[in-house]
Amino acid sequence: MARSDLKRLVPTASEELRRILDAARGPVQPPNRSEIFGPRRFEQHGRSLAQAQHAKTAPTRSTAFFPRLRDNVRTLREANHYIGTQLHTGYDVSPAAEWLLDNFHLIEAQLKEIHEGLPRRYFRDLPVLLDEPLAGLPRIYGVAWAFVAHTDGAFDEELLEHFLVAYQRVHELTLGELWALSTTLRVVLIENLRRLAERLATHKAARELANLCGDHLDDYTDATLDELLALLNRRGVGGVFLAQIAQRLQDPSAITDPSTRHLEWLRRVMPDPFEVRTQLPVEQAADNLSVSNAIGSLRLIGNADWPDIVARVSATMQALLGSPSFEAERDDTRDQTLHAIEALARRSHRSELAVARTLLELMHEAAVADRGSPERASSAARHWLRGAGRGVLLRRLGLSDRGAALRRVLRRRVALPAYLGSLAAGTAALVAWMLVRHGAVPPDASALPLWLTAMSAALMLFPASEAVVAMINRLIAEWARPHRLARLALAQGIPSEHRVLVVIPGMLTSPAMVSSLTHRLQLHYLANPERHAQFALLTDWADADTATQSFDSALLDAAVARIDALNTRHPVEAGRAPRFIVLHRTRQFCETERRFIGWERKRGKLEQLIDALAQPAAAPHTPPAFVDLGTASHVEPGAAYVVTLDGDTQLPPGRLRELVGVAAHPDNRPVVDTARRIVTSGYRILQPRVATPLPAPRDMTAYHWLFAGQCGIDPYSAASSEVYQDVFREGTFTGKGLLNVRAMHAVLSGRLPAGRVLSHDLLEGSLARCAAVTDINVIEDAPFHADVAASRVHRWMRGDWQLLPFIFNPKRYAIRAINRWKMLDNLRRSLVAPMSLGLMALVLATGVVNPWAALALIYVAFAAGPLIGSVAGFSPSRDAIAKRHFYRRAIADLLRALCGGLWQVAQLLQLALMSADAVLRALWRLTVSRRSLLEWTTAAAAQATASTRLPTLVRRHWAAPVAAAVLLAGLWAAGTPTPWLAAL
């Protein structure tokens, strides 16, 4: 009604003008502005405010934390649009309005910042105020409101610290409240900006309305003006309207009779025009300052170091920082500790400070008991909050630890049977559904013997299990929270007690290979220039029929020369071993290979190196198993870790420090049972996530596009899921990662049989506990050629089947059940292609199952994993994304998954032949010949022999078309062809 009244009184007013001045919206609220306080006065106000505020724990369904935030944004947009229109039409605007127009993009961005800063459910646990005017809102909102009011919206860390510390001398603020302060301050500033912007817009609109009335003032009676003034007073801008009318009446050209009734009306409604005229400029100047302060504060709040601010003002944080182990941790690890303390405080109905003090008491008692062993896990807070000491802490707090004990039992005793049981049940259900839904129908079914149905079911188990494993692993990945390991900050770099040796195992086969390896070593250092890190080439010569070759010395001399050049370019302090070294071994005769090779290949190099590093040494030296090359082979003593990387692996900047930070945390340090030679807690190996780089355009191939997945590194990605780590707390070692020297020596030195272990990574990870650190990545390219990939997969399969003695004798090597399953799962996966081919041959020959259904099952087996991931990729994780680009990439990923599955099905015969060859070759060598168990082709050698020329491909893959012809002939010779086969 008010808007229509305004239209009736001033017909020339625009719709936007009437909407802004609509009296039904109520008076414009004054800005949150009060007396400006200094540090001392803020301390006094903090204490008095804490005494005045009364709060309680929020009810389950408390009011929304964000008071009228969306309405604030809508009003700000309305005001911004109106003021912008006024500016573009030639009207002058105030400096405050210019600030608003120039920085409105920042205000728009705050809505996203506020909603992403902390989820709404987070605020449900915060204490809420009981007294008006902020009753029902979180207590921290009242604290932020007071701070903004007494700084006029100017953000000052020092004043904020004085205020919060003084407040907490009366009432302790929870960690949740302090972490919410950043978002809360933004909300309060947006509220204040809304009031200021609405004030600017309504004042401008009131002056515009006065000008419209002044243009036709003679047409307005006193009663009409009184009615109009009443509407504007209800909006709170009557004084602005009168001031503008008075200014117009001072201009004789504005009206025809300036000395008549209008002046009398103005004197009646504005008895003191001087006060009005002097007050408005003062308010305008104050608004200018408030708007500039608020906009500047939004920037400063976003750039502030809030972890540091919280650490300075939180009593709980100050108490915890008295612990050296907590102080050394990285912020994200500290956050995990703090969240656990918050949860225990809510559960025990104690203050967070009381819980923290109880925790510190336990840590101190453990430190006294373990004096001389500061590296024990009990020195870290996580041991008591999430680890084996949690039960003790719960009992100290008066809580029951039955829930924690039950969770430990479930993880240790129930998790693996439940996981394997779900895989078995899913596989059996899928096979049964295939037989019932797509099996032979009468009268054909009655003619088929039972053994034929059983054979088809046995063959279907393999492709069905592959699809079910992909599905269940994806469900677990979506359900389980990624397990993030604790880590130290190492802000000053890697300390000397955690010295690390970065090694690249390789073979000196050519001058080009020497150049490539040394160049890669230099890149590792340039990306991770740590003072207490040494970088080494760990090399052998290529296999040979004799112990030495004529070109051996030249290759080694070239490697030494390049290492010397690197040391000259990047020198170290006098008396220390050089930064770059080369550790080279001579050939030894291998009985199984009947050739001279480096002992046990890569596994032997690493074992001999770690054996040497585990021995105490006072000065740089050359390990005895390696050729003495002078200073070029001198290892710095005291290396605690070895980081092993392949020759084509890239170590991004900072990753070395991050890996050492994880390994150095007491919670992750391995504890070895020397009698059983097993790691009982902690981790000996850290396996980072391997990402695929963006390929150069000249190297891109269709095969790489199909199977390399999403290339590049997302700088905003967090930890990704790794099922074995998240559920069973053990990852899978793939040959690139960090090794703990002493633990590796204690567990694996001289333990594995010589000449028999080809795929040693999985076995070593099983024996000595490996952790998958998925939030730390290294970069390694995927094969660009199908033959290179096939060569690698063939070697992996042979190595997996050569682990059968370890699988069947787990007690001798103390292999845990989950690791036996990993080995068996690799064997199962290697049989998927041969069994799928056998299934297709069986159903084509007998019709026991619908061939199209069998073909669909095989396709799903190969494509299920990529397809599930690509379909899940259609759900954006963030709102502010380029939707068209996002969905274009998602469709490309889906297309890649579909095409990859089709390629695998088309290559089924080739894959089956390769798998069968690898399995049979490994079994023959393992049980009969005992030869060539260490047969190995380097990736570089496979890449060098790869070719796309037709003659080469025919010569290399002639067996596939021959096998296809033989298979087809065998199907025809078996008897009358089925309708399916006849259709071919």
Side-chain angles (χ1 to χ4, degrees):
M1 179 62 71
R3 192 186 304 183
S4 61
D5 290 340
L6 192 60
K7 181 178 182 180
R8 174 177 54 83
L9 296 172
V10 188
T12 57
S14 66
E15 174 61 27
E16 187 174 23
L17 182 66
R18 294 195 301 269
R19 185 171 60 253
I20 290 176
L21 295 177
D22 186 2
R25 300 173 65 172
V28 177
Q29 294 176 299
N32 180 21
R33 192 162 56 207
S34 189
E35 179 186 354
I36 304 300
F37 289 163
R40 186 176 298 277
R41 184 69 183 87
F42 249 125
E43 291 181 3
Q44 297 174 356
H45 184 59
R47 291 191 293 269
S48 62
L49 180 65
Q51 292 168 352
Q53 285 185 334
H54 299 90
K56 68 174 182 178
T57 302
T60 304
R61 295 191 177 273
S62 59
T63 57
F65 165 73
F66 307 106
R68 70 172 190 175
L69 179 61
R70 294 192 181 277
D71 184 61
N72 285 346
V73 174
R74 182 190 59 79
T75 302
L76 280 164
R77 288 171 179 164
E78 177 187 65
N80 178 72
H81 181 268
Y82 176 72
I83 296 171
T85 301
Q86 292 289 303
L87 179 63
H88 292 150
T89 54
Y91 290 97
D92 293 333
V93 296
S94 66
E98 291 182 355
W99 267 92
L100 190 68
L101 292 174
D102 292 341
N103 296 278
F104 195 74
H105 64 281
L106 175 65
I107 300 171
E108 287 270 20
Q110 294 310 304
L111 179 63
K112 175 176 178 293
E113 293 288 337
I114 290 168
H115 280 283
E116 290 187 354
L118 290 171
R120 287 177 180 265
R121 63 181 181 274
Y122 181 89
F123 295 94
R124 295 176 183 172
D125 297 324
L126 302 183
V128 297
L129 294 170
L130 300 177
D131 303 324
E132 296 294 343
L134 301 177
L137 290 174
R139 175 173 59 182
I140 196 65
Y141 188 87
V143 173
W145 185 273
F147 178 77
V148 169
H150 293 291
T151 59
D152 194 16
F155 181 72
D156 186 297
E157 285 191 27
E158 184 178 355
L159 287 178
L160 181 63
E161 182 177 351
H162 281 290
F163 182 43
L164 294 176
V165 170
Y167 186 100
Q168 291 185 95
R169 289 177 184 149
V170 179
H171 286 306
E172 179 188 346
L173 294 170
T174 67
L175 286 165
E177 289 179 295
L178 292 175
W179 282 116
L181 184 57
S182 170
T183 299
T184 309
L185 284 171
R186 286 188 175 102
V187 172
V188 174
L189 287 170
I190 290 293
E191 169 69 27
N192 208 31
L193 277 172
R194 174 251 173 85
R195 297 183 178 202
L196 289 164
E198 191 174 20
R199 182 184 175 105
L200 293 172
T202 53
H203 284 198
K204 187 69 176 173
R207 285 191 288 269
E208 183 184 357
L209 187 67
N211 289 332
L212 293 175
C213 293
D215 293 339
H216 306 281
L217 196 57
D218 290 339
D219 297 338
Y220 291 89
T221 65
D222 288 358
T224 303
L225 291 174
D226 285 339
E227 186 179 358
L228 180 60
L229 181 60
L231 291 174
L232 294 175
N233 283 332
R234 286 167 57 190
R235 190 69 172 120
V237 292
V240 179
F241 174 80
L242 292 175
Q244 186 65 20
I245 290 290
Q247 184 176 352
R248 290 294 300 266
L249 289 176
Q250 292 175 1
D251 183 5
S253 63
I255 55 177
T256 58
D257 188 7
S259 60
T260 56
R261 56 187 177 87
H262 300 103
L263 290 176
E264 291 299 327
W265 175 83
L266 189 61
R267 292 190 189 98
R268 176 168 58 83
V269 298
M270 191 172 62
D272 190 358
F274 177 77
E275 181 182 356
V276 174
R277 291 175 182 173
T278 55
Q279 182 65 25
L280 288 177
V282 173
E283 292 180 354
Q284 186 180 45
D287 291 348
N288 293 341
L289 181 60
S290 295
V291 171
S292 64
N293 283 344
I295 291 174
S297 294
L298 289 175
R299 288 194 177 93
L300 291 174
I301 289 171
N303 295 330
D305 186 356
W306 284 100
D308 183 62
I309 293 174
V310 172
R312 294 200 305 268
V313 302
S314 169
T316 302
M317 282 287 288
Q318 288 296 311
L320 290 171
L321 287 172
S323 166
S325 63
F326 182 84
E327 184 181 20
E329 289 176 340
R330 212 170 72 170
D331 287 340
D332 52 358
T333 301
R334 290 183 184 178
D335 290 345
Q336 295 175 10
T337 298
L338 296 174
H339 292 326
I341 289 175
E342 290 178 277
L344 286 177
R346 289 192 297 269
R347 182 179 168 188
S348 64
H349 303 290
R350 302 188 184 199
S351 70
E352 293 167 353
L353 182 58
V355 174
R357 286 173 175 166
T358 303
L359 172 63
L360 291 171
E361 289 173 3
L362 289 173
M363 293 169 64
H364 177 71
E365 293 171 6
V368 172
D370 295 334
R371 191 173 300 279
S373 301
E375 297 184 354
R376 295 291 296 272
S378 56
S379 65
R382 285 174 61 99
H383 172 78
W384 306 99
L385 292 169
R386 301 177 184 272
R390 181 175 174 82
V392 178
L393 175 60
L394 291 177
R395 290 191 293 273
R396 187 72 63 92
L397 293 173
L399 300 173
S400 171
D401 65 336
R402 285 178 294 181
L406 179 61
R407 284 192 293 270
R408 288 196 298 270
V409 171
L410 289 176
R411 174 169 286 117
R412 293 176 181 175
R413 303 294 176 85
V414 179
L416 182 59
Y419 175 69
L420 297 181
S422 62
L423 295 181
T427 302
L430 181 55
V431 171
W433 179 82
M434 284 286 297
L435 290 174
V436 172
R437 181 68 178 81
H438 299 286
V441 297
D444 296 334
S446 60
L448 294 175
L450 181 61
W451 66 266
L452 195 59
T453 302
M455 179 181 293
S456 64
L459 292 173
M460 277 191 286
L461 284 175
F462 289 88
S465 65
E466 187 72 359
V468 170
V469 166
M471 175 63 73
I472 291 181
N473 285 352
R474 183 68 194 190
L475 292 175
I476 293 175
E478 294 292 336
W479 166 77
R481 181 177 299 177
H483 181 230
R484 292 179 61 91
L485 296 180
R487 61 204 67 199
L488 303 182
L490 303 184
Q492 305 304 317
I494 297 174
S496 58
E497 62 269 23
H498 296 292
R499 186 183 304 280
V500 60
L501 176 63
V502 180
V503 301
I504 301 179
M507 301 185 74
L508 303 182
T509 58
S510 66
M513 179 58 68
V514 171
S515 177
S516 175
L517 291 174
T518 53
H519 177 67
R520 179 64 62 191
L521 201 67
Q522 182 184 20
L523 292 180
H524 291 336
Y525 166 72
L526 293 176
N528 299 269
E530 297 287 344
R531 182 174 182 269
H532 296 293
Q534 197 175 20
F535 300 82
L537 293 182
L538 200 57
T539 59
D540 290 328
W541 283 309
D543 300 356
D545 294 327
T546 58
T548 59
Q549 297 282 305
S550 59
F551 49 81
D552 289 347
S553 298
L555 291 175
L556 184 56
D557 291 343
V560 172
R562 287 186 174 273
I563 289 295
D564 289 340
L566 290 180
N567 286 320
T568 302
R569 192 177 306 165
H570 307 286
V572 297
E573 302 90 341
R576 291 186 54 191
R579 192 178 310 279
F580 302 94
I581 59 174
V582 55
L583 298 174
H584 186 79
R585 302 186 305 171
T586 57
R587 300 184 183 93
Q588 295 183 16
F589 185 75
C590 178
E591 288 290 341
T592 62
E593 301 303 300
R594 294 296 183 179
R595 303 192 78 192
F596 287 87
I597 67 172
W599 180 74
E600 290 297 301
R601 301 200 184 278
K602 178 182 175 181
R603 183 184 75 81
K605 283 187 283 193
L606 289 171
E607 181 174 327
Q608 290 177 326
L609 173 63
I610 287 176
D611 287 348
L613 294 176
Q615 306 303 320
H621 64 287
T622 298
F626 299 90
V627 177
D628 190 349
L629 302 172
T631 57
S633 60
H634 281 181
V635 175
E636 186 78 15
Y641 311 106
V642 168
V643 172
T644 175
L645 303 168
D646 290 343
D648 56 349
T649 306
Q650 302 175 38
L651 188 63
R655 298 301 190 269
L656 183 60
R657 185 182 300 186
E658 292 181 24
L659 280 171
V660 174
V662 175
H665 194 280
D667 197 52
N668 302 324
R669 293 174 185 170
V671 177
V672 179
D673 183 340
T674 54
R676 299 171 58 199
R677 300 189 72 179
I678 62 171
V679 176
T680 58
S681 64
Y683 300 98
R684 182 188 65 83
I685 300 173
L686 298 182
Q687 173 63 58
R689 182 166 63 97
V690 180
T692 304
L694 293 171
R698 66 178 183 276
D699 296 331
M700 188 65 182
T701 63
Y703 182 85
H704 187 274
W705 181 81
L706 282 175
F707 297 105
Q710 292 182 343
C711 300
I713 299 176
D714 178 5
Y716 303 102
S717 63
S720 60
S721 180
E722 209 278 352
V723 170
Y724 292 122
Q725 182 67 40
D726 299 338
V727 178
F728 306 105
R729 298 297 185 261
E730 287 198 38
T732 303
F733 185 43
T734 61
K736 292 161 279 290
L738 180 143
L739 314 176
N740 185 292
V741 169
R742 294 194 179 278
M744 180 134 180
H745 175 72
V747 172
L748 289 176
S749 179
R751 188 174 185 182
L752 301 181
R756 299 181 64 182
V757 179
L758 180 61
S759 293
H760 58 94
D761 299 332
L762 177 59
L763 180 60
E764 289 174 346
S766 301
L767 294 174
R769 290 200 88 211
C770 170
V773 193
T774 57
D775 55 341
I776 302 176
N777 54 58
V778 295
I779 303 173
E780 185 173 285
D781 216 334
F784 289 91
H785 195 285
D787 284 343
V788 177
S791 173
R792 180 158 55 175
V793 172
H794 188 275
R795 185 181 74 245
W796 289 344
M797 288 181 180
R798 287 192 289 109
D800 291 334
W801 282 89
Q802 287 177 201
L803 295 180
L804 282 175
F806 299 91
I807 297 174
F808 292 141
N809 192 11
K811 292 185 178 180
R812 177 180 177 183
Y813 295 97
I815 299 177
R816 298 177 180 87
I818 182 60
N819 294 307
R820 288 184 71 196
W821 160 248
K822 291 180 189 179
M823 298 177 187
L824 289 170
D825 189 41
N826 283 349
L827 304 188
R828 177 199 61 80
R829 191 177 297 113
S830 67
L831 294 175
V832 169
M835 296 303 178
S836 297
L837 181 64
L839 175 64
M840 283 305 303
L842 182 65
V843 299
L844 286 174
T846 65
V848 65
V849 175
N850 186 313
W852 292 111
L855 187 62
L857 176 64
I858 294 170
Y859 176 83
V860 170
F862 287 111
L867 274 176
I868 295 171
S870 62
V871 171
F874 277 86
S875 176
S877 58
R878 298 185 294 271
D879 293 332
I881 61 173
K883 294 292 181 64
R884 181 177 299 178
H885 175 76
F886 172 82
Y887 286 112
R888 187 186 302 121
R889 299 304 306 167
I891 292 172
D893 290 338
L894 178 60
L895 180 62
R896 177 165 48 219
L898 292 170
C899 293
L902 291 175
W903 190 93
Q904 296 272 30
V905 172
Q907 293 289 315
L908 181 60
L909 177 58
Q910 178 69 30
L911 296 175
L913 290 175
M914 179 192 70
S915 299
D917 178 81
V919 172
L920 295 176
R921 192 182 298 245
L923 293 176
W924 172 262
R925 292 172 177 177
L926 187 65
T927 60
V928 180
S929 72
R930 307 283 183 176
R931 295 287 183 264
S932 302
L933 290 171
L934 298 183
E935 181 186 357
W936 180 55
T937 302
T938 65
Q943 183 66 42
T945 59
S947 174
T948 57
R949 296 177 65 249
L950 182 59
T952 304
L953 294 176
V954 171
R955 185 173 61 253
R956 181 168 296 171
H957 300 292
W958 62 268
V962 171
V966 171
L967 181 61
L968 184 60
L971 290 172
W972 277 94
T976 304
T978 67
W980 306 102
L981 187 58
L984 298 177

